Amino acid sequence: MNDPESIRAVWDLPELRGLWERARQALEAADRPATFRLELPDERTRQKVGEVYGRPMWGQGTRINVSKLDESLRAGEHGVDLERLLEILHERPITRQESGSRRRGGEQDRTVGVLHAALSEHGLAEQPWAAAWTDWVRQYGRVADSDLDAIAEHAAAVLARLVLDPDRQPRGWWSRTELAARCAGSEYELDNGTTLSRVVLRAASMAHGTDSPGGERDRRNLWERCGVTPDGISVTVPCWALPLAGQDTWSSTVRERTELGLPTHLTLLDLRAAPEPLVEPGTVIAVCQSARTLEAAVAAGVRHPVVCLSGRPGTVALELLDRLRADGAVLRLHCDFDWTGLSVAGALYERPGFVPWRMSAADYRETVNRAAARRTDLRILDENPTEAPWDPELPEVMSSAGRAVEEEIVLDDLLHDLRNGLDGAVS
């Protein structure tokens, strides 16, 4: 039944009232935000909000995407949309405030018309952030009228290539210069300080529900969330002994470094110049989280291929791993036994081609017990647990033991597997 009483019985709960109040504020705002921040003060609230939103909640707060919340409600048992639900719960309709420009007569000036037309051409005009962004450009974007048509066209072309859904991870990467050259005809048009960069980053921040970037680090982080690396050379991925299939100069250069006992730090420009395919189907490649693991393999003269994530995988690492997966490689993944390590492993495990390597609850128990016997210090494991979809028991075991196991602690085990091949290595 979708009558008001049955809906109130299901959704009018103390734990959800904060969610409904914040959702109403978002829907009634003059420029409806795409997301809003929601506090999660206790486990009961996290559980109930997670059930509504369709994913587990962790920590003391989260960012809620308004469109996704609406979709989750529509797909639920009662099939009610967000506006109708709030009207029933609060017993009053949604009343959207008018922005200053609309109160002054709702005029559609040239700026709004040009921007809307450019967004429409790329299928972006109905995105949740589009109206607010258009108003911002009109009022604060500082776009000269003589530049408006070109800026609108170039900005829409750039935005159409960005990842603007905060719940989606980039699957491919642009360098900022590539993107500028493709969409604006000049590799310099998205450099810091340009008009195009300013308006594009504002749209990206609105789409992701973040503040406008205030410095270089914030700009880099926002670009990367959108699938863009700020340049093609500063970010690298360390590799060792990649068994490249090509007989070209690029492949020969990488192989020569292996013969010299040197790892290779590949950049995005390197990957753009690399041949297809990189490796033969079925090639088994070790993927580690710590540079110490790759360094140990080099020092030991182990010729098994290794790719290092250097903590959290950056843009170039993800690009390389996607290329290897597309070639049919098998990626044996090992990360630290801490919550960051499980988060990294979990995100990669969702992609086909990744197989855990010594990442089970049994592996963790064995290592902790061995460390205790040898009186090896293990860092205290704190913060909130992270799921491990390849072994659901693992987070519980780690929480119980309360100790983190970094890759350096198990170097001997990892090197043993690399020497003997990972085809039969334990998972």
Side-chain angles (χ1 to χ4, degrees), residues 289-365:
Q289 189 175 12
S290 170
R292 181 70 186 93
T293 303
L294 186 145
E295 181 185 43
V298 174
V302 176
R303 290 301 183 92
H304 196 289
V306 180
V307 172
C308 178
L309 302 177
S310 298
R312 288 189 178 274
T315 55
V316 185
L318 292 172
E319 179 86 6
L320 173 62
L321 295 175
D322 283 342
R323 289 276 298 271
L324 294 171
R325 289 191 309 117
D327 292 343
V330 178
L331 304 174
R332 298 303 302 269
L333 174 65
H334 188 277
C335 293
D336 294 334
F337 281 112
D338 61 14
W339 304 131
T340 298
L342 263 61
S343 175
V344 170
L348 294 177
Y349 182 73
E350 292 179 353
R351 306 181 180 209
F354 284 91
V355 180
W357 167 33
R358 290 190 181 269
M359 286 292 292
S360 68
D363 294 317
Y364 175 79
R365 284 195 198 95

Side-chain angles (χ1 to χ4, degrees), residues 352-399:
F354 284 91
V355 180
W357 167 33
R358 290 190 181 269
M359 286 292 292
S360 68
D363 294 317
Y364 175 79
R365 284 195 198 95
E366 179 184 350
T367 304
V368 170
N369 292 338
R370 188 168 58 198
R374 295 177 179 176
R375 299 184 180 179
T376 301
D377 291 334
L378 298 178
R379 176 167 51 86
I380 294 175
L381 186 64
D382 51 16
E383 301 178 352
N384 293 314
T386 301
E387 294 180 338
W390 64 92
D391 188 345
E393 183 186 4
L394 177 57
E396 181 179 347
V397 173
M398 289 172 58
S399 296

